[in-house]
Amino acid sequence: MSKYPELITNFLSFVKVNTRSDPNSTTIPSAERETHFLNMLKEKLEKMGLADVHTNEQSAYVFATLPANTEQAVPTVGLISHIDTADFNAENVTPKIVKNYDGQSVIPLDKAGKYTLDPAVFKSLKKYKGDTLITTDGATLLGADDKSGVAEIIAAIAYLQANPTIKHGTIKIGFGPDEEIGTGADHFDVNDFGADVAYTVDGGPLGDLNYETFNAAEAKVTIQGTDVHPAEAKGVMVNAIQLGIDFHEALPEFDRPERTAGRQGFFHIYDFQGSVDHTSLTYIIRDHDRERFEARKRLFKGIADQMNAELGTERIKVTLKDQYYNMGEIIQKDPAVVEVAEQAMKNVGVQPHIFPVRGGTDGSKISFMGLPTPNLFAGGENMHGRFEYVSEQTMEKAVDVIIEIVKLFAEK
Ligand SMILES: [Zn+2]
């Protein structure tokens, strides 16, 4: 019998509800089905007897409070997960359970055998010898990102309720929409949430702990050409497609996602629409280091300026928009929030794996709102697609870590 009796049953029931967010929507949440699930969670939190369960108006987050059971003044710890799933089929998710995995067999997903989890392809499988794995049936994603986080937070709270001898400060719970489309945390209400420190439980495999993310900007380049008949083009035609190619070629050729890792930043072109008359290029610019990030944006603009100078007309326009910043900047000022997480992992026998995320987390935005929010592992592997899976034992470890964090804060 598991220490956390409802962890897996909750998780399995959560993943069956379609909560795919909608990148083309401007509503909050982006999809009605997210509201439906958030309301389900709200009811669940109410049934658990939590205090102040409510939907925050501006963000659509569901917030709840587990009151402190100690007289000591200890920090209020927030626990946050997102409920939406990535841009992949999430209709009729049918999780499959593989008990006591041997660490080497190929796991069939669909009945026809078209999709499999093969340790030769997905090397991570070898780590899970003896574990119970939860996989998809090949048709959908699983949604362990991030319903494992939701189930783990709920299991940790239920455990604390059932074991009142464990002393803890006030704990705030926040479940929100639209992380996968990058907008959910934009509206996060730190005042209503009311935590002193927080964690997103939204990381990958066992031990993941992240307090650094990219600095991020989006850049759009629009180019105006002059289109004339090719027969009479000499000295007259200005081909906007060619200018777009020239612009792209002027960027450092090795600073691309497919050629960088670790702390190396990049320029990533992900859309190129062109005609002779008009061409547009869309990029994301990423760097962990704030100064290098600013330098990348200057370089980007500088290329356009120089091309415009050579053309004698302003044919190339650049618009840059910052998206989020590296939360390491905030957290380094008060690293206790990370140190406690690291210590908690060690205390429950998990080796912390600290590394800078090559992306953002909800915590990148929330940290800059004044609430330091690093990211903890939730257990998922191969996220965002049909090969997603999670280990029950890793999920249990995630709950152990959450409980240990809360305990450590109460002892501080
Ligand atoms: Zn996630």
Side-chain angles (χ1 to χ4, degrees), residues 349-390:
V350 173
Q351 181 60 41
H353 176 223
I354 300 178
F355 62 97
V357 183
R358 289 179 67 75
T361 66
D362 276 341
S364 348
K365 285 172 181 163
I366 296 169
S367 293
F368 277 87
M369 294 172 186
L371 176 60
T373 306
N375 187 37
L376 304 173
F377 71 94
E381 296 268 11
N382 301 339
M383 293 187 264
H384 296 192
R386 65 177 98 246
F387 301 105
E388 191 181 7
Y389 70 95
V390 68

Side-chain angles (χ1 to χ4, degrees), residues 156-182:
I157 298 297
Y159 187 84
L160 291 170
Q161 288 178 315
N163 295 274
T165 51
I166 301 173
K167 293 296 165 205
H168 59 82
T170 305
I171 301 170
K172 298 283 181 176
I173 298 134
F175 296 137
D178 295 338
E179 189 270 352
E180 299 291 357
I181 59 170

Side-chain angles (χ1 to χ4, degrees), residues 82 84 144-147 179-180 201-203 362 375 383-384:
H82 68 90
D84 64 316
D145 178 12
D146 186 25
K147 284 165 183 157
E179 189 270 352
E180 299 291 357
V201 185
D202 187 23
D362 276 341
N375 187 37
M383 293 187 264
H384 296 192

